[in-house]
């Protein structure tokens, strides 16, 4: 039996034949007998073809993985329309005598190299995305079609790397799992795998001779076992079957209260990125929505979304949740989430830069448009407002003042509004340090543990080179969470967690003993969390 290790993307087990997937080597001719204008026309036609393909991939991802994940393909569409990218292709074509496919691949390689050379790990990961869209345009120009999985039987796919488009195109019924030599935990392909519930390992140094051999992909240990012996294989099959039985058992928890054995009730909510995710929230029986990432309304648009456009989306979500709480986080754009029409400058340290509430307080009309839409939607359900990236009392007071200004304007216009709870994200050490003062200004806190961890540890959570140093269980992080919960309760605030630690079942008991009131997780994590909560007895030492 051969063993190799990598970085696990999903803690699940896959067993089956390995299929080493190699992309066909295609020679792209550089020289063209056509004029540069004709080659540009060819490029534009291919670009429109790919746009249609991306729209179909978006719909497929939306169906299989939800709106937030499907947004990857909207980002690809934006890349396809990026003026700098188009100009680079145009310049190469204009040199004369070059084919459109050569120009596309050359421009793609140049952009990918530029992304890869950046210090920011998120931007480095975008190198794969620009190569993906360039390859799709080149395929359209050459008349090539993606054939999907090369095998008819279900397989564990092994590849040097997989692009997001390749991952979504594959028939899930034939994909047991995948293993790649390259890729990172935070790549778009990895995000797709987690959301689509596909066991995966990245960073595995595989051998082409594995093709056709039986293997066990163990996402719990981060190992792949090739040609396992009968006893080992039998034991791993039993573990996999246990997983399946556990999944079926979880479905029986629907409709059950989130109460510990000793009677402690906890609110279990879900995080969403778009209105399309509400179906998943309801299917997984969450008690409410603890984080609606409203920035995707902006990232999906070519210009600032209007008040009526936002109102329609928020109203739809509020009505669909039928009285259950919906917490809308106000615009959290900047850092790794960019929209060209905002005209944001490049920054040395974007995670520490002009983003979130800092943009809203300095671009009041943009902020007011969103607040008015949220207030109006509040008349159709239980809607709350949450401000991100707060570091001072003055920010909260300024934001609330603008909120009241919007409420007054709507009242004067005769428009109905809700009376929302107002909360803030606690995701900076500064907010934790003044949590007692902040609690006097708001109704609730929601701990954004992803950013809180990276700012506390001074570690870029998207930099794969730092994975060994990134410890979300660090005592400093846990002490900050405890301090925030205690400070909130001293002043009558309820306190929730909406970051990834909320779904970490090894910390559920710890958080409940700290007194957390609410945990908001991805829709798929709701039932496993409910099972854990219902099995705890907090009165036991």
């Amino acid at each position: 039996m051969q063993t190799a290790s990598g970085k696990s993307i999903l803690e699940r087990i896959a067993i089956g034949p390995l299929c080493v997937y190699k992309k066909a080597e295609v020679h792209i001719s550089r020289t063209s007998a056509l004029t540069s204008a004709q080659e540009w026309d060819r490029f534009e036609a291919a670009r429109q073809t790919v746009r249609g393909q991306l729209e179909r991939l978006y719909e497929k991802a939306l169906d299989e993985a939800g709106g937030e994940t499907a947004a990857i393909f909207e980002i690809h569409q934006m890349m396809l329309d990026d003026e700098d990218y188009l100009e680079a292709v145009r310049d190469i074509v204009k040199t004369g005598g070059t084919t459109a496919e050569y120009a596309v691949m050359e421009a793609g390689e140049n952009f990918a190299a530029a992304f890869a050379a950046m210090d920011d790990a998120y931007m480095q990961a975008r190198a794969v995305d620009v190569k993906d869209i360039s390859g799709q345009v080149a395929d359209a120009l050459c008349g090539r079609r993606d054939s999907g999985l090369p095998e008819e039987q279900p397989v564990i796919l092994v590849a040097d790397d997989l692009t997001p488009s390749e991952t979504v195109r594959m028939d899930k019924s034939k994909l047991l799992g995948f293993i790649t030599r390259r890729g990172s935990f935070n790549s778009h392909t990895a995000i797709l795998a987690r959301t689509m519930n596909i066991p995966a390992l990245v960073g595995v140094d595989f051998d082409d001779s594995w093709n056709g051999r039986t293997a066990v992909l163990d996402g719990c240990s981060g190992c792949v076992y090739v040609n396992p012996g009968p006893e080992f294989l039998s034991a791993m099959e039993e573990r996999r079957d246990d997983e399946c039985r556990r999944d079926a058992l979880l479905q029986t928890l629907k409709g059950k209260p989130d109460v510990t054995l000793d009677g402690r009730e906890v609110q279990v909510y879900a995080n969403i990125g778009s209105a399309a995710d509400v179906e998943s929230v309801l299917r997984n029986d969450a008690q409410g929505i603890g984080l609606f990432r409203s920035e995707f309304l902006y990232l999906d648009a070519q210009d600032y979304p209007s008040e009526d456009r936002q109102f329609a989306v928020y109203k739809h979500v509020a009505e669909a949740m039928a009285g259950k709480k919906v917490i809308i986080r106000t615009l959290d754009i900047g850092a790794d989430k960019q929209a060209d029409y905002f005209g944001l400058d490049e920054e040395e340290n974007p995670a520490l830069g002009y983003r979130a509430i800092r943009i809203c307080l300095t671009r009041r009309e943009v902020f007011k448009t969103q607040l008015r839409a949220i207030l109006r939607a509040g008349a159709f359900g239980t809607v709350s407002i949450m401000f991100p990236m707060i570091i001072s009392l003055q920010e909260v007071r300024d934001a609330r003042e603008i909120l009241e200004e919007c409420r007054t304007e709507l009242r004067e216009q005769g428009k109905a509004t809700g009376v929302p709870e107002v909360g803030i994200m606690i995701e900076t050490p500064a907010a934790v340090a003044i949590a007692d003062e902040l609690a006097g200004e708001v109704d609730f806190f929601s701990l954004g543990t992803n950013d809180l961890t990276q700012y506390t540890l001074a570690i870029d959570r998207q930099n794969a080179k730092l994975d060994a140093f990134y410890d979300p269980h660090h005592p400093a992080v846990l002490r900050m969470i405890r301090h925030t919960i205690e400070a909130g309760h001293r002043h009558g605030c309820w306190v929730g967690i909406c970051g990834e630690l909320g779904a970490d079942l090894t910390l559920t008991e710890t958080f409940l003993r700290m007194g957390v009131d609410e945990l908001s997780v991805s829709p798929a994590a709701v039932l496993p969390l409910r099972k854990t909560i219902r099995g705890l007895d907090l009165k036991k030492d």
Side-chain angles (χ1 to χ4, degrees):
M1 180 172 69
Q2 286 181 266
T3 303
S5 62
K7 181 74 175 178
S8 175
I9 299 303
L10 185 70
E11 293 188 357
R12 294 186 70 87
I13 294 170
I15 301 174
L18 294 168
C19 174
V20 177
Y21 174 63
K22 288 190 174 293
K23 299 172 188 178
E25 291 288 336
V26 179
H27 175 69
I28 290 180
S29 175
R30 176 172 182 167
T31 305
S32 172
L34 302 177
T35 66
S36 58
Q38 289 172 322
E39 288 292 350
W40 180 255
D41 287 343
R42 289 183 65 232
F43 167 75
E44 280 293 351
R47 190 163 73 96
Q48 295 309 315
T49 297
V50 172
R51 183 189 303 284
Q53 293 172 355
L54 290 172
E55 289 172 356
R56 289 189 290 275
L57 286 173
Y58 172 85
E59 294 299 329
K60 190 170 188 290
L62 187 64
D63 181 57
E64 296 180 351
E68 185 176 348
T69 304
I72 290 169
F73 296 103
E74 292 184 313
I75 293 172
H76 281 200
Q77 289 183 57
M78 287 190 282
M79 284 184 167
L80 197 60
D81 294 331
D82 182 80
E83 285 299 327
D84 291 334
Y85 177 75
L86 295 177
E87 189 64 32
V89 175
R90 188 181 292 111
D91 287 345
I92 297 170
V93 168
K94 279 184 176 179
T95 60
T98 59
T99 63
E101 47 266 46
Y102 173 82
V104 166
M105 295 304 290
E106 185 74 5
E109 287 293 334
N110 292 340
F111 270 73
F115 279 127
M118 293 181 180
D119 292 331
D120 184 84
Y122 178 88
M123 298 307 293
Q124 290 171 357
R126 301 294 69 77
V128 174
D129 294 314
V130 76
K131 282 186 176 181
D132 191 353
I133 63 167
S134 297
Q136 289 181 69
V137 175
D139 285 347
L141 284 161
C142 297
R144 293 194 299 268
R145 292 188 178 182
D146 180 76
S147 58
L149 284 169
E151 301 288 337
E152 289 300 317
Q153 64 175 327
V155 296
I156 299 172
L157 198 69
V158 183
D160 189 54
D161 202 359
L162 289 171
T163 65
S165 62
E166 287 171 330
T167 307
V168 170
R169 280 194 182 100
M170 291 173 182
D171 182 349
K172 275 186 66 179
S173 68
K174 297 176 183 175
L175 186 61
L176 300 172
F178 69 75
I179 296 166
T180 64
R181 180 174 280 118
R182 293 187 292 170
S184 71
F185 186 81
N186 292 300
S187 70
H188 276 160
T189 299
I191 292 169
L192 279 165
R194 283 195 292 275
T195 311
M196 295 166 71
N197 213 30
I198 302 171
L201 298 179
V202 298
V204 177
D205 188 17
F206 64 84
D207 190 316
D208 287 355
S209 67
W210 288 6
N211 191 54
R213 298 184 182 183
T214 298
V216 174
L217 187 167
D218 185 357
C220 300
S221 67
C223 292
V224 56
Y225 305 95
V226 183
N227 281 349
E231 289 186 11
F232 181 84
L233 183 60
S234 177
M236 296 304 287
E237 285 174 339
E238 181 59 30
R239 280 183 55 193
R240 180 199 58 191
D241 294 344
D242 281 344
E243 284 182 352
C244 294
R245 286 190 288 268
R246 190 163 58 248
D247 289 344
L249 180 62
L250 287 176
Q251 297 304 309
T252 67
L253 293 172
K254 285 188 177 182
K256 301 289 179 66
D258 297 309
V259 180
T260 61
L261 293 172
D262 57 302
R264 166 77 188 285
E265 185 174 357
V266 185
Q267 302 298 315
V268 177
Y269 291 172
N271 301 332
I272 68 169
S274 76
D277 293 337
V278 173
E279 181 185 351
S280 184
V281 173
L282 297 173
R283 187 170 62 247
N284 286 280
D285 200 34
Q287 296 180 39
I289 293 172
L291 171 62
F292 183 171
R293 300 180 178 93
S294 67
E295 57 270 16
F296 285 95
L297 271 169
Y298 294 79
L299 295 173
D300 292 349
Q302 298 300 313
D303 202 349
Y304 297 101
S306 68
E307 177 184 325
D308 285 343
R309 163 65 180 149
Q310 294 189 62
F311 165 63
V313 173
Y314 304 146
K315 175 176 178 282
H316 169 77
V317 173
E319 289 180 328
M321 292 303 294
K324 292 182 178 180
K325 186 173 291 186
V326 176
I327 301 175
I328 301 175
R329 181 176 69 188
T330 59
L331 178 62
D332 186 11
I333 207 162
D336 60 339
K337 291 170 282 193
Q338 298 283 337
D340 288 344
Y341 58 87
F342 271 78
L344 302 178
D345 296 330
E346 290 189 12
E347 297 178 294
E348 287 291 328
N349 296 297
L352 306 179
Y354 186 53
R355 58 176 294 197
I357 198 67
R358 299 164 188 174
I359 292 177
C360 291
L361 293 178
T362 53
R363 299 190 181 185
R364 288 174 64 102
E365 286 310 310
V366 174
F367 195 27
K368 287 181 66 176
T369 297
Q370 180 175 38
L371 293 178
R372 285 168 57 93
I374 296 173
L375 285 169
R376 289 171 59 193
F380 297 87
T382 308
V383 176
S384 300
I385 292 175
M386 180 162 66
F387 303 125
M389 280 296 291
I390 294 296
I391 63 168
S392 71
L393 279 172
Q394 193 60 50
E395 288 173 340
V396 179
R397 290 169 179 166
D398 288 347
R400 296 204 68 151
E401 180 183 329
I402 297 171
L403 179 65
E404 287 308 310
E405 184 180 319
C406 291
R407 196 196 311 271
T408 299
E409 290 174 357
L410 290 169
R411 189 181 301 119
E412 290 173 350
Q413 294 168 6
K415 294 181 178 179
T417 65
V419 184
E421 283 189 319
V422 176
I424 60 173
M425 296 278 288
I426 302 292
E427 49 195 332
T428 66
V432 173
I434 61 169
D436 278 288
E437 291 90 334
L438 291 171
E441 302 286 331
V442 296
D443 301 305
F444 68 92
F445 289 157
S446 188
L447 283 145
T449 56
N450 302 350
D451 271 336
L452 181 60
T453 301
Q454 82 164 342
Y455 293 140
T456 300
L457 302 184
I459 286 179
D460 179 356
R461 61 189 172 93
Q462 299 191 79
N463 188 337
K465 294 179 181 177
L466 300 177
D467 281 353
F469 301 96
Y470 185 80
D471 178 15
H473 292 201
H474 194 288
V477 175
L478 297 180
R479 287 174 191 171
M480 286 193 166
I481 293 172
R482 177 186 291 277
H483 174 81
T484 301
I485 294 170
E486 292 173 349
H489 288 173
R490 278 195 293 271
H491 300 275
C493 277
W494 65 264
V495 184
I497 294 175
C498 65
E500 288 186 12
L501 283 188
D504 187 336
L505 301 183
T506 66
L507 287 175
T508 303
E509 182 173 359
T510 299
F511 292 150
L512 266 58
R513 288 188 180 279
M514 288 180 180
V516 73
D517 303 292
E518 175 252 9
L519 295 166
S520 190
V521 297
S522 68
V526 167
L527 293 177
L529 180 56
R530 177 169 296 162
K531 181 177 186 294
T532 299
I533 290 170
R534 289 173 59 83
L536 294 175
D537 186 347
L538 302 178
K539 289 185 177 178
K540 287 185 177 180
D541 293 332

